[in-house]
Amino acid sequence: MKYLIVANWKMNPESPLKAKLLFNSIKKGIKKIQPKKTKIVLAPPFVYLPLFGRSFENLSLCAQNCFWEQKGAFTGEISPLMLKNLGVEYVILGHSERRKYFQEKKIGQKMKACFKINLKPILCVGEKEKGKIQILKKQLDFLKKNSNFKSHFLLAYEPVWAIGTGKYCQPKKIKKIVQILREILAKINQDFRKIKILYGGSVNSQNAFSILKEGQIEGLLIGKASLKAKEFLKIVKIAEKIS
Ligand code: PGA
């Protein structure tokens, strides 16, 4: 099993110097670990992407969002094509923070624009309140109109109540919800069975092992714990050991 460990730096750190330091420490650590079965994906803010070179074996670059057109008069937006030309491989779409603060729309169109140029979307879904998981089906509903998408995207299950709160979802619960997500996806398109599902929400080096193993997921989307190289690398090591 090959795990995908994604670092979502969100709007951090506050200077290019700090971003470079963090990137270099992570890169150095990865060289030491030499992961064979784990893929590391870094999602820094847009402005830092050009500082890190292109995606390479085991370490890929990811954006935290993108626009749905490739170019044009869209002030303030970043296109998938621009990201592709920078060597980016993945794009996080529909993160709950974007849904909350920007009423994130047109996720399907954004995904389409990514597929056109071979960028891989990481689509995020998650319920606001513990237990209220009916919303997950609604959040995936748009895929019905796009059942020709094939399986060229990943899904990140990120319960909103777990993001940045220190209260992670129990691995057994993750396993159950991932099963439900797989059923929803398969009903939309049989091909979607192959989609890799990640978990995100207060993952750290203490809980990563049980989340990966008992949660039976295929990777992690990590916020806070990805801002400290040591902590993040610990999680990479854990994933590499299990996989
Ligand atoms: P967290 O964030 O690890 O800080 O909870 C996860 C995310 O929002 O992707």
Side-chain angles (χ1 to χ4, degrees):
M1 153 98 86
K2 184 155 183 150
Y3 287 125
L4 207 79
I5 306 297
V6 187
N8 178 11
W9 289 4
K10 309 194 180 185
M11 203 171 71
N12 298 295
E14 66 275 29
S15 75
L17 181 66
K18 285 188 180 173
K20 264 192 198 166
L21 285 173
L22 179 56
F23 176 77
N24 288 339
S25 312
I26 291 175
K27 197 172 160 185
K28 220 167 124 189
I30 289 170
K31 273 200 177 137
K32 241 191 197 167
I33 299 170
Q34 290 203 337
K36 304 253 166 356
K37 294 168 266 164
T38 312
K39 187 165 180 181
I40 295 95
V41 178
L42 297 186
F46 288 132
V47 289
Y48 300 145
L49 284 165
L51 304 177
F52 302 158
R54 306 186 76 82
S55 299
F56 56 90
E57 205 195 348
N58 277 336
L59 183 61
S60 283
L61 293 179
C62 177
Q64 297 173 15
N65 181 34
C66 71
F67 194 60
W68 57 80
E69 296 285 348
Q70 307 295 5
K71 60 177 186 173
F74 302 102
T75 303
E77 291 301 325
I78 306 286
S79 81
L81 186 58
M82 290 172 181
L83 297 170
K84 180 84 184 174
N85 288 336
L86 278 180
V88 168
E89 198 183 337
Y90 296 88
V91 182
I92 297 171
L93 289 175
H95 190 279
S96 68
E97 283 151 15
R98 292 208 57 85
R99 291 182 197 258
K100 181 177 172 192
Y101 299 114
F102 307 98
Q103 291 75 47
E104 190 75 338
K105 281 186 209 113
K106 303 210 186 196
I107 296 173
Q109 270 175 265
K110 289 183 175 190
M111 285 174 78
K112 234 183 254 174
C114 287
F115 292 145
K116 262 195 192 144
I117 51 167
N118 274 330
L119 275 184
K120 293 174 203 132
I122 302 174
L123 171 65
C124 300
V125 293
E127 76 281 8
K128 276 193 198 142
E129 280 175 62
K130 218 172 185 171
K132 303 213 165 153
I133 59 164
Q134 310 90 302
I135 189 75
L136 301 176
K137 195 163 179 271
K138 269 199 192 148
Q139 286 172 340
L140 291 172
D141 232 27
F142 76 95
L143 289 171
K144 286 183 188 160
K145 282 186 264 161
N146 299 287
S147 50
N148 58 338
F149 271 3
K150 305 248 166 50
S151 54
H152 301 142
F153 64 97
L154 297 107
L155 190 69
Y157 168 56
E158 294 208 302
V160 180
W161 53 266
I163 295 179
T165 58
K167 295 179 200 139
Y168 64 101
C169 187
Q170 289 308 303
K172 275 191 187 128
K173 195 88 196 154
I174 295 175
K175 189 180 159 190
K176 259 192 197 158
I177 294 173
V178 166
Q179 262 164 7
I180 295 170
L181 286 169
R182 286 205 191 288
E183 280 161 25
I184 298 171
L185 288 170
K187 263 193 195 157
I188 299 172
N189 181 338
Q190 280 296 319
D191 243 20
F192 289 172
R193 278 180 189 280
K194 291 177 223 149
I195 286 169
K196 281 195 178 199
I197 302 185
L198 321 180
Y199 167 81
S202 295
V203 176
N204 56 40
S205 62
Q206 304 295 306
N207 59 26
F209 179 85
S210 60
I211 290 177
L212 279 173
K213 189 128 194 189
E214 289 168 48
Q216 293 190 2
I217 43 158
E218 286 141 329
L220 301 166
L221 182 47
I222 306 165
K224 202 172 165 198
S226 72
L227 292 170
K228 291 210 170 86
K230 232 181 171 180
E231 174 73 357
F232 182 67
L233 289 164
K234 265 189 201 170
I235 301 172
V236 172
K237 264 191 208 160
I238 289 167
E240 181 66 8
K241 257 195 192 159
I242 307 176
S243 54

